[in-house]
Amino acid sequence: MTLKYSWLGCVAMSGALGATQAYAECGTPPLPEGVPGYSVCKDWPAYDGQTITALSQIEPDPTLTDEPAGTGMYDLKLAVVSNVDGKPLARYSKASVFSSDAFRFDGLSIDTARYKLTSDLRAFGVRAGFTGSSRANPFDEAWLSLYVREGNTLRPVLEQLVIESGSGEWDTNCAGEFSRTKRTLDMAKTSSHGFADLIVKSVTTGSLNTVKNGECEYNDTVGKTVLTTLRYDGRQYVVPKEMQGS
């Protein structure tokens, strides 16, 4: 299901309870009519009183008049917002980040796991989801990018790591093969150019479905955990090609 885009707002609640500051409640205003896209927000536990917002809307393209709704390029707008007065503290904006066609862009989420890159710097993540359109050859991916705050700007330090993917080929009834890879990130004790190295743990599971005596039988397998170290090159973490979203 295609959602609609909306600008996010974090409106400060007036007044105070004793000496306690009343924080804003993160919420989304009404969705603009007819503009495909996504908007999410989440409090940032690492920094009290701050909320992260992620916004993505389709970029108008008059040449795509015959394409299905939601097809095209999507931008990305991020902000860290004060929960006290609703003012943005830092921003990031980039055009044409996500492409949506047969491989459909279908949502954003904010990841506030403990991405501690230095003793006093934490990153937050933005995940983007994609889904293929073929039922006989299902395919899906989720990409993770990490951002850090530098003054009033946000800077990407890890871009489009495929954090989860699945694919398969089957007869749409039973017989077929499926594969899914899931990845997690851990902070290493080593560092490169002042930022902690990232340990990527990848596990791939498979499923072989066959028909026997009129029944569908499932044979599942779990592969070994594969460890990959990502190192910061002074600008970004270098992601191997086979782990990059495209």
Side-chain angles (χ1 to χ4, degrees), residues 83-164:
N83 286 359
V84 177
D85 56 17
K87 292 182 179 179
L89 304 174
R91 300 175 186 266
Y92 172 84
S93 180
K94 187 176 181 180
S96 304
V97 177
F98 307 120
S99 175
S100 185
D101 41 42
F103 188 38
R104 188 178 72 253
F105 172 45
D106 64 2
L108 288 175
S109 64
I110 296 169
D111 183 347
T112 56
R114 191 181 173 89
Y115 298 120
K116 191 173 183 180
L117 304 184
T118 72
S119 59
D120 57 359
L121 181 65
R122 292 195 187 186
F124 67 86
V126 174
R127 297 185 182 225
F130 300 85
T131 306
S133 58
S134 171
R135 184 164 180 263
N137 298 95
F139 185 80
D140 65 89
E141 273 189 354
W143 300 350
L144 172 67
S145 298
L146 297 181
Y147 299 83
V148 295
R149 180 182 172 186
E150 294 179 342
N152 61 1
T153 64
L154 298 171
R155 181 172 69 87
V157 293
L158 173 71
E159 292 193 277
Q160 299 182 353
L161 170 70
V162 177
I163 201 71
E164 184 170 354

Side-chain angles (χ1 to χ4, degrees), residues 32-54:
E33 192 65 32
V35 182
Y38 305 90
S39 63
V40 291
C41 66
K42 188 175 182 180
D43 289 339
W44 197 354
Y47 298 99
D48 189 39
Q50 296 183 19
T51 289
I52 303 163
T53 67

